[in-house]
């Protein structure tokens, strides 16, 4: 059985690991458009404020470590662009080189999380106004 999980962080990694624990024979692949798979969201304000010095301390798990612990294949910097349910594939793009993939699945889990709601007044670029939901956001805020 081929199981494809779209999305990392807490939910995607948890479901992928759980599926693999329940069925060691399952071919589980996790894709995420991020460069990492898991980070400590609650720690982002502490990084911005300087109480956490190293950006690396925001990572709760690395793709390599997760793969070796769980047996889940991890593809980072890969963004799902289309779900093709009739042929059970996901069209995905490698963001590092723009290569396109067709990833087959028997079962699909979509765990992409949320996007912040941005009030209309902040949709313009306003110096010193940031959203904070990912480590990249925290790095930009801290540099500012």
């Amino acid at each position: 059985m081929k199981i494809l999980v779209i999305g990392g962080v807490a939910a995607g990694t948890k479901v992928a690991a759980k599926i693999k624990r329940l069925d060691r024979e399952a071919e589980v692949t996790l894709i995420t458009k991020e460069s990492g798979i898991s980070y400590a969201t609650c720690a982002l304000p502490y990084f911005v404020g300087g109480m956490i010095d190293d950006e690396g301390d925001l990572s709760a798990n690395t793709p390599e470590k997760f793969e070796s612990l769980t047996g889940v294949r991890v593809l980072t910097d890969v963004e799902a662009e289309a779900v093709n349910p009739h042929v059970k594939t996901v069209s995905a793009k490698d963001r590092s080189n723009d290569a396109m993939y067709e990833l087959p699945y028997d079962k699909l889990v979509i765990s992409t999380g949320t996007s912040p709601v941005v009030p209309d007044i902040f949709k313009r670029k306003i110096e010193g106004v940031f959203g904070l939901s990912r480590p990249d956001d925290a790095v930009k805020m801290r540099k500012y």
Side-chain angles (χ1 to χ4, degrees), residues 76-79 81 92-101:
T76 58
D77 294 312
V78 174
E79 185 171 11
E81 293 204 335
K93 181 168 87 173
D94 186 324
R95 293 162 47 115
S96 67
N97 61 17
D98 290 335
M100 291 299 295
Y101 300 105

Side-chain angles (χ1 to χ4, degrees), residues 31 37 39 64 68 76 92 94 99 102 110 114 116 123 144:
I31 67 170
I37 60 164
Y39 53 85
E64 299 78 18
S68 69
T76 58
D94 186 324
E102 287 297 316
I110 300 174
T114 65
K123 287 187 180 172
Y144 179 80

Side-chain angles (χ1 to χ4, degrees), residues 115-126 129-133:
S115 296
V117 174
V118 180
D120 288 338
I121 192 168
F122 296 122
K123 287 187 180 172
R124 321 183 298 258
K125 283 279 189 187
I126 300 174
V129 176
F130 301 90
L132 181 60
S133 61

Side-chain angles (χ1 to χ4, degrees), residues 8-74:
V9 193
T13 56
K14 294 273 192 267
V15 73
K18 180 70 172 186
I19 291 167
K20 199 65 175 161
R21 277 195 309 273
L22 293 173
D23 182 358
R24 296 302 295 168
E25 301 303 312
E27 294 178 42
V28 181
T29 301
L30 181 145
I31 67 170
T32 178
K33 66 181 179 180
E34 307 292 332
S35 58
I37 60 164
S38 188
Y39 53 85
T41 307
C42 298
L44 297 178
Y46 297 101
F47 175 76
V48 172
M51 290 178 256
I52 295 174
D53 291 323
D54 186 355
E55 180 185 347
D57 290 341
L58 297 175
S59 293
N61 210 340
T62 66
E64 299 78 18
K65 182 178 173 186
F66 183 76
E67 225 175 281
S68 69
L69 288 172
T70 63
V72 171
R73 178 179 170 219
V74 177

